[in-house]
Amino acid sequence: MFSWKDSSGGSCSLCVHTLSALLVFSLCCFISGNSDINRAKDLMVKYPLIDGHNDIALQLRILHNNHLSKINLTHIHKVATDISRLRAGHVQTQMFAAYVLCGAQQMDAVRLTLEQIDVVRRMCTENPEFELVTSTQELNASMMKHKIACLISIEGGHSIDSSLPTLRMFYHLGVRSLTLTHSCNTPWAETSSEIYDVFKRRNNSLTTFGKAVVDEMNRLGMIVDLSHTSWGTASAVLMHSKAPVIFSHSSSFAVCNHSRNVPDWLLHKLKENGGLIMVNFYTPFVSCKNKANVSNLADHFDHIKKVIGAKSIGIGGDFDGAKNYPEGLEDVSKYPVIIQELLKRKWTEEELADVLRRNFLRVFEEVEKVRDQLSWKQPSEEEIPLQEVENPCRLVLQMPVVKKVFSNQSPSFRAVGSLNLLYLSSVLLFFFFFYVLT
Ligand SMILES: *[C@@H]1O[C@H](CO)[C@@H](O)[C@H](O)[C@H]1NC(C)=O
Ligand SMILES: *[C@@H]1O[C@H](CO)[C@@H](O)[C@H](O)[C@H]1NC(C)=O
Ligand SMILES: *[C@@H]1O[C@H](CO)[C@@H](O)[C@H](O)[C@H]1NC(C)=O
Ligand SMILES: *[C@@H]1O[C@H](CO)[C@@H](O)[C@H](O)[C@H]1NC(C)=O
Ligand SMILES: *[C@@H]1O[C@H](CO)[C@@H](O)[C@H](O)[C@H]1NC(C)=O
Ligand SMILES: [Zn+2]
């Protein structure tokens, strides 16, 4: 008769042994995995993250038309960023992008940018968890107060409409960084993208006016951001800028050859400049595929460290700028996962403290120092040549020249002519009634 006990007694005891060994092993794994993530989190408590780029403001516009009264910033649906997840991810400072699409160039880019600055300012001043900061001193102080500090950046040079006074006014609203281009060329700088077919150029990737923009940003103490610019523009800026610059959300071209990433030769120039590359998490830039994992992302950190060292690296997750982030890194609460992976890859706590916040603080302090050294300079009155920006939406602010009423002129002049006629007849009508009534 078949006996379960007799026939399987021996192997069962083996089985029990294997089972307990397995149990011990997986328990070990669990504990060590657990202690790894805890080690990452402990490190991030000491050195909470300063992240270079986040697009929640764009999502607030798209999903809620900036109506903050209708949402609870602690938990926001359908996005990757809110207060509870920033807290869980040990994000202490977030650079929030005021971004408007390239389609607004030479149209209402300035208005839209103001509205995006407004929504970031509202978010960061109406909620006590946040604090809007504009200097390294305020940034440091916000950490002591356990606030999430907000820095404002503008993403895309088209937002200043080729105007240095506009750039200065943005500075006064608290903007401390400008990405020189988004996916479109401006009349003075060149993008890495081929999506838009505007302001085509063969060379001269940073024009005379472009250099004036960089000079004025150096004078004001605004961080120049080279993410999205072409390599030509980036290297011209690296030659020209007196202050260190950042790539706020770009990864390594050697690891994934996407045009938004930075090649090694440019990394060397960045290191000479004292600047920072803040690694982007967006899957297509990480793996060049539509799937990625934390290991693929860590490869970018490893490679850049090998080429220019850990002192030139930061983090710019780019959450809410797009959909599709690596497995396990889907939102701003997941930053400890990449720190855990880098610890596993033998990055030292000193190196990670630099990557998490000290490198950015060093760059921002250097930008402020250059500003102080340039305090003798007057605001720049450099103007872009009119022929480079002439378009129907750009009015040259002068008294209109009134031409003869009835002539063969352009429709706009005829409009001016008929306006004059209207004015004349209302004056006549007025006098008519005046005399009739008195
Ligand atoms: C937002 O949600 C949090 C937690 O769910 C709650 O404590 C808080 O009161 C809410 N805030 C508002 C303004 O409703
Ligand atoms: C900010 O804090 C860092 C690190 O604690 C320190 O090195 C730096 O001097 C501080 N900067 C300012 C302006 O307070
Ligand atoms: C830039 O291109 C123009 C023609 O488009 C040419 O005349 C000029 O020499 C070029 N400049 C440089 C520095 O290559
Ligand atoms: C990236 O590499 C792939 C294959 O190696 C190649 O087909 C592609 O053209 C490259 N892309 C760029 C932007 O260099
Ligand atoms: C991550 O993806 C790569 C393929 O790109 C794969 O070789 C590797 O095993 C994956 N790593 C983890 C930890 O899943
Ligand atoms: Zn971007």
Side-chain angles (χ1 to χ4, degrees), residues 47 135-141 143-144 357-358 361-362 365 368:
Y47 304 102
S135 66
T136 54
Q137 199 187 351
E138 289 172 4
L139 196 161
N140 276 355
M143 180 175 159
M144 300 304 151
R357 67 185 286 118
R358 295 195 302 214
L361 274 171
R362 183 195 72 232
E365 274 177 16
E368 291 175 333

Side-chain angles (χ1 to χ4, degrees), residues 53 55 155 182 228 249 260 318:
H53 195 85
D55 271 309
E155 187 176 18
H182 194 259
H228 287 284
H249 58 306
R260 273 282 281 102
D318 201 9

Side-chain angles (χ1 to χ4, degrees), residues 389-410:
V389 287
E390 216 160 20
N391 76 77
C393 296
R394 203 175 186 92
L395 180 72
V396 177
L397 204 61
Q398 294 169 342
M399 291 313 283
V401 184
V402 180
K403 294 280 169 92
K404 269 191 293 175
V405 177
F406 304 105
S407 65
N408 236 358
Q409 271 152 354
S410 67

Side-chain angles (χ1 to χ4, degrees), residues 85-100:
R85 285 177 283 173
L86 286 166
R87 289 290 189 199
H90 299 277
V91 181
Q92 189 278 318
T93 299
Q94 181 63 66
M95 189 119 77
F96 287 109
Y99 160 65
V100 306

Side-chain angles (χ1 to χ4, degrees), residues 177-398:
S177 179
L178 169 72
T179 311
L180 297 191
T181 71
H182 194 259
S183 304
C184 47
N185 294 332
T186 65
W188 45 272
E190 189 179 55
T191 176
S192 64
S193 161
E194 315 240 294
I195 301 174
Y196 291 89
D197 200 19
V198 292
F199 302 118
K200 282 276 191 190
R201 65 191 79 223
R202 245 181 276 143
N203 53 25
N204 209 15
S205 42
L206 187 70
T207 68
T208 305
F209 185 77
K211 291 188 175 112
V213 172
V214 172
D215 289 338
E216 193 65 354
M217 289 179 72
N218 286 168
R219 188 189 70 81
L220 288 164
M222 260 169 114
I223 304 167
V224 177
D225 184 353
L226 297 178
S227 280
H228 287 284
T229 65
S230 72
W231 297 348
T233 296
S235 48
V237 172
L238 283 164
M239 300 269 286
H240 191 76
S241 177
K242 292 185 184 66
V245 305
I246 61 172
F247 288 86
S248 69
H249 58 306
S250 295
S251 301
S252 161
F253 188 83
V255 178
C256 160
N257 69 346
H258 194 288
S259 65
R260 273 282 281 102
N261 287 340
V262 184
D264 290 354
W265 63 267
L266 203 48
L267 289 177
H268 287 292
K269 285 178 191 259
L270 178 69
K271 187 191 167 99
E272 279 169 40
N273 159 274
L276 207 59
I277 173 168
M278 307 179 87
V279 175
N280 192 319
F281 290 14
Y282 178 50
T283 292
F285 303 165
V286 169
S287 66
C288 281
K289 301 198 182 90
N290 55 18
K291 260 185 184 289
N293 58 35
V294 65
S295 167
N296 303 139
L297 180 62
D299 291 346
H300 287 265
F301 286 87
D302 275 347
H303 180 80
I304 300 169
K305 186 172 93 167
K306 196 182 77 198
V307 176
I308 53 171
K311 290 225 179 275
S312 306
I313 308 177
I315 294 175
D318 201 9
F319 286 109
D320 284 319
K323 297 261 181 284
N324 195 1
Y325 291 80
E327 291 157 28
L329 288 161
E330 293 85 3
D331 63 52
V332 296
S333 71
K334 306 291 174 29
Y335 287 108
V337 174
I338 180 65
I339 300 305
Q340 176 190 8
E341 175 70 16
L342 295 175
L343 281 167
K344 222 167 82 188
R345 295 184 179 205
K346 304 282 180 264
W347 284 56
T348 68
E349 298 204 349
E350 284 298 303
E351 286 169 338
L352 290 171
D354 286 343
V355 168
L356 284 165
R357 67 185 286 118
R358 295 195 302 214
N359 290 338
F360 181 86
L361 274 171
R362 183 195 72 232
V363 166
F364 195 8
E365 274 177 16
E366 198 57 41
V367 167
E368 291 175 333
K369 208 181 289 170
V370 169
R371 171 201 63 196
D372 294 342
Q373 286 162 1
L374 295 175
S375 62
W376 56 273
K377 271 181 103 177
Q378 294 298 311
S380 169
E381 295 182 352
E382 182 88 29
E383 288 178 35
I384 196 157
L386 192 56
Q387 69 271 16
E388 289 178 26
V389 287
E390 216 160 20
N391 76 77
C393 296
R394 203 175 186 92
L395 180 72
V396 177
L397 204 61
Q398 294 169 342

